[in-house]
Amino acid sequence: MKLVCATFLVLVCLVLSSSVLETTMAGSPSCDSKCGVRCSKAGYKERCLKYCGICCEKCHCVPSGTYGNKDECPCYRDLKNSKGDPKCP
């Protein structure tokens, strides 16, 4: 009986953890559309979308246009990479 309960508990934990991971790994639709506009003219579009998505999830905003306008979103503007360069496109 203990083995059945333990197995059931492990299965429930696996199902719950997979659904949580799936939710957190998926970008929000708002960020996806805003970053699509922001990165529409980027030379390295996939990389732009990746970092824009990271910044959008953290800051909850993306500056308008395809370049500049970072003063509209100070959090987005102020995020830096490990080298001290701007992280967000």
Side-chain angles (χ1 to χ4, degrees), residues 24 26-29 31-32 51-62:
T24 57
S28 78
C31 285
D32 291 345
Y51 287 106
C52 180
I54 291 169
C55 295
C56 179
E57 290 291 326
K58 188 173 276 192
C59 297
H60 307 291
C61 64
V62 174

Side-chain angles (χ1 to χ4, degrees), residues 28-57:
S28 78
S30 176
C31 285
D32 291 345
S33 63
K34 289 178 182 177
C35 288
V37 171
R38 183 82 180 165
C39 297
S40 63
K41 295 184 180 179
Y44 297 99
K45 192 168 187 170
E46 292 300 317
R47 185 168 68 180
C48 181
L49 289 170
K50 174 184 175 183
Y51 287 106
C52 180
I54 291 169
C55 295
C56 179
E57 290 291 326

Side-chain angles (χ1 to χ4, degrees), residues 7-86:
T7 304
F8 179 73
L9 183 61
V10 168
L11 288 174
V12 168
C13 288
L14 286 173
V15 169
L16 290 175
S17 65
S18 68
S19 65
V20 167
L21 282 175
E22 190 175 311
T23 303
T24 57
M25 291 180 74
S28 78
S30 176
C31 285
D32 291 345
S33 63
K34 289 178 182 177
C35 288
V37 171
R38 183 82 180 165
C39 297
S40 63
K41 295 184 180 179
Y44 297 99
K45 192 168 187 170
E46 292 300 317
R47 185 168 68 180
C48 181
L49 289 170
K50 174 184 175 183
Y51 287 106
C52 180
I54 291 169
C55 295
C56 179
E57 290 291 326
K58 188 173 276 192
C59 297
H60 307 291
C61 64
V62 174
S64 62
T66 57
Y67 185 79
N69 304 321
K70 289 187 176 181
D71 288 332
E72 295 175 3
C73 185
C75 171
Y76 190 98
R77 176 193 65 211
D78 296 337
L79 284 178
K80 306 288 183 197
N81 64 18
S82 60
K83 296 178 183 177
D85 296 326

